[in-house]
Amino acid sequence: MKTPPSANWAESFRYGFRDCVYPTSVDALCETVARSKNLKVLGSRHSFNAIADGDLAIILSEMPVDPVVAADGASVSVGGHATYGELASFLNERKLAIHNLASLPHISIAGAIATATHGSGDGNGNLATAVSAIEFVNADGALSHLKRGDPDFAGAVVHLGALGVITRVTLDVMPEFEVAQGVYEGLSWPALLANFDAIMGAGYSVSVFTQWGEQAGAIWLKRNAGADSWAEDMFGAVRSTVKRHPIIGLDPQNSTDQLQQYGRWSDRLPHFKMGFTPSNGEEIQSEYHVPRRYAGAAIEALLGIRERFAHLIQASEFRTVAADDLWLSPQYQRDTLSIHFTWVREQAAVEEAVSHIEEVLSAFQALPHWGKVFSLRPIGRLYPKFAEFSALRDRLDPQRKFSNMWLETVLA
């Protein structure tokens, strides 16, 4: 046994693991799962709550990643513990791509799909929507497979780590494409609210960064090659002539290239470069998803209480995500506006701010990001397919080997 990790990536959450193991093969992993009473898998440790906490930490970093492109070139199979940055490097060598990436490429594939992590873009589903098959170890130590179209597939992709240990993931791929990124600064709140759909639909992936001040903030526009020319201003926001970091005042060298220069999809769709510390590092994160039709009303409601949380903000971000059919996805059968908060690392103050935000957003059917900070309470029942997921969980893990107190609370 090795010393288990003590904290998440941002040092904002402390784990309670007593032991950890590093299996080097699928057979070794199956044996470990079969003989263990309680275990959780740790990937890149980018979650900000207890979703991955437990007695025994399973860390898959010593298992092979072994990416393989299908014979028809339409998919890639890869070890679930691989990061998106590692996958992108492999795909770039073969002139292939996946449809989208999250803000940082450092996160593991299995962890991202388990929590419905996402990028942005009106036509882009979250990262789990690219999954066409999964291989995982059941609670009894047996290896199982599910593919798109199987009865349980839509319930098992966004699984919260509650169904088993993901060993391989198969993802849809497409031909590589180029993206350019430009930043437009000085966007006003009236301009954002009056032109929200036009702004968010102006590129392949669009983010609006805000600190909830007098101005709305900046539009980060990511466009495919061949898109329209880059105007000097966008709804009153002016195109920046220097590189920016999403968190105002930080060195932009950590950020992906901007200034409308085209480059690989994987070098522009994230906000942060693979070889650098992403975001600030010392932070807490929260995020809420509301149906797209409530976007303007939800933003205005938050503006009404910003004095209760704006002083804790390092950066906040608006993104859009397309609807899907995955049971525990916050985008299940609904396009969403996703409202992200990067907080200073002051846990008690952030939890109080989150309670105010949740009270306001409850009127708009808000759902929190599964891997970030929110008020601990039963939220599974807010999902239309929660009963079906519970039944699937009862079949795959009747003894709750992959559970913990956090999961038992949110899935009550």
Side-chain angles (χ1 to χ4, degrees):
M1 295 285 186
K2 298 182 180 181
T3 302
S6 60
N8 69 345
W9 159 77
E11 299 286 328
S12 63
F13 179 84
R14 296 287 165 180
Y15 298 121
F17 292 113
R18 293 180 292 182
D19 293 305
C20 69
V21 294
Y22 289 72
T24 58
S25 67
V26 172
D27 286 344
L29 173 61
C30 290
E31 291 174 5
T32 298
V33 172
R35 68 171 182 263
S36 300
K37 293 183 178 180
N38 178 264
L39 68 153
K40 299 298 292 183
V41 180
L42 275 184
S44 59
R45 296 184 289 136
H46 194 64
S47 292
F48 292 81
N49 59 39
I51 189 171
D53 201 10
D55 293 335
L56 175 66
I58 304 293
I59 300 175
L60 305 180
S61 57
E62 295 184 6
M63 289 181 57
V65 171
D66 190 24
V68 179
V69 175
D72 61 2
S75 65
V76 61
S77 170
V78 64
H81 60 287
T83 67
Y84 279 95
E86 291 171 331
L87 175 63
S89 178
F90 174 82
L91 293 178
N92 286 334
E93 293 176 356
R94 290 153 182 80
K95 300 187 182 303
L96 295 171
I98 55 175
H99 79 288
N100 211 351
L101 291 169
S103 297
L104 55 154
H106 308 64
I107 56 178
S108 68
I109 297 169
I113 67 173
T115 54
T117 296
H118 59 92
S120 190
D122 285 356
N124 298 323
N126 64 44
L127 301 184
T129 61
V131 178
S132 61
I134 55 173
E135 175 188 271
F136 62 101
V137 181
N138 281 330
D140 61 4
L143 199 62
S144 298
H145 300 81
L146 286 172
K147 65 181 184 301
R148 188 181 286 144
D150 289 345
D152 295 333
F153 177 81
V157 178
V158 181
H159 57 87
L160 315 184
L163 303 181
V165 179
I166 300 294
T167 51
R168 292 193 71 79
V169 178
T170 303
L171 303 168
D172 299 332
V173 296
M174 61 184 67
E176 66 177 358
F177 56 99
E178 290 196 330
V179 174
Q181 182 172 212
V183 176
Y184 289 81
E185 301 175 298
L187 179 68
S188 71
W189 288 112
L192 172 64
L193 294 169
N195 303 284
F196 184 82
D197 287 342
I199 291 170
M200 302 310 291
Y204 184 83
S205 173
V206 181
S207 295
V208 173
F209 280 95
T210 182
Q211 292 187 306
W212 298 96
E214 291 307 306
Q215 288 188 329
I219 304 166
W220 285 53
L221 181 60
K222 302 171 193 273
R223 283 179 161 173
N224 302 68
D228 295 339
S229 60
W230 297 77
E232 291 299 315
D233 67 88
M234 187 175 181
F235 301 106
V238 179
R239 181 156 56 89
S240 177
T241 58
V242 296
K243 283 187 63 178
R244 298 298 189 192
H245 191 287
I247 299 177
I248 294 173
L250 294 190
D251 191 332
Q253 71 167 341
N254 293 17
S255 305
T256 49
D257 287 336
Q258 302 152 31
L259 305 179
Q260 302 76 238
Q261 298 298 312
Y262 281 94
R264 281 177 172 163
W265 62 283
S266 56
D267 295 334
R268 300 293 189 277
L269 290 178
H271 297 320
F272 304 104
K273 297 175 182 176
M274 182 66 185
F276 293 81
T277 300
S279 192
N280 181 27
E282 296 183 1
E283 62 195 59
I284 298 171
Q285 294 183 9
S286 299
E287 187 173 53
Y288 297 91
H289 310 276
V290 301
R292 177 67 179 267
R293 64 184 181 276
Y294 297 141
I299 293 171
E300 288 188 287
L302 289 174
L303 281 170
I305 64 161
R306 59 183 166 180
E307 74 281 355
R308 301 182 185 180
F309 63 82
H311 60 291
L312 299 170
I313 291 289
Q314 296 193 56
S316 189
E317 181 182 7
F318 303 129
R319 288 181 286 179
T320 55
V321 190
D324 60 54
D325 63 353
L326 304 175
W327 294 356
L328 290 191
S329 165
Q331 286 77 43
Y332 178 76
Q333 295 188 345
R334 61 183 206 170
D335 297 331
T336 65
L337 162 68
S338 296
I339 308 171
H340 174 86
F341 302 89
T342 297
W343 306 105
V344 297
R345 205 167 60 188
E346 298 178 18
Q347 189 74 31
V350 167
E351 289 178 0
E352 181 179 357
V354 161
S355 69
H356 295 308
I357 289 169
E358 290 176 352
E359 181 179 3
V360 165
L361 291 183
S362 64
F364 306 105
Q365 301 175 21
L367 294 171
H369 189 297
W370 288 109
K372 301 186 180 182
V373 170
F374 58 90
S375 299
L376 188 58
R377 64 197 191 279
I379 61 170
R381 64 189 67 175
L382 301 176
Y383 286 78
K385 301 288 283 186
F386 176 62
E388 288 84 347
F389 180 82
S390 296
L392 177 61
R393 189 179 177 212
D394 287 341
R395 283 193 284 114
L396 294 180
D397 186 20
Q399 303 301 316
R400 299 296 188 258
K401 180 175 289 191
F402 302 111
S403 192
N404 57 26
M405 290 184 64
W406 188 92
L407 276 171
E408 290 307 305
T409 300
V410 299
L411 298 179

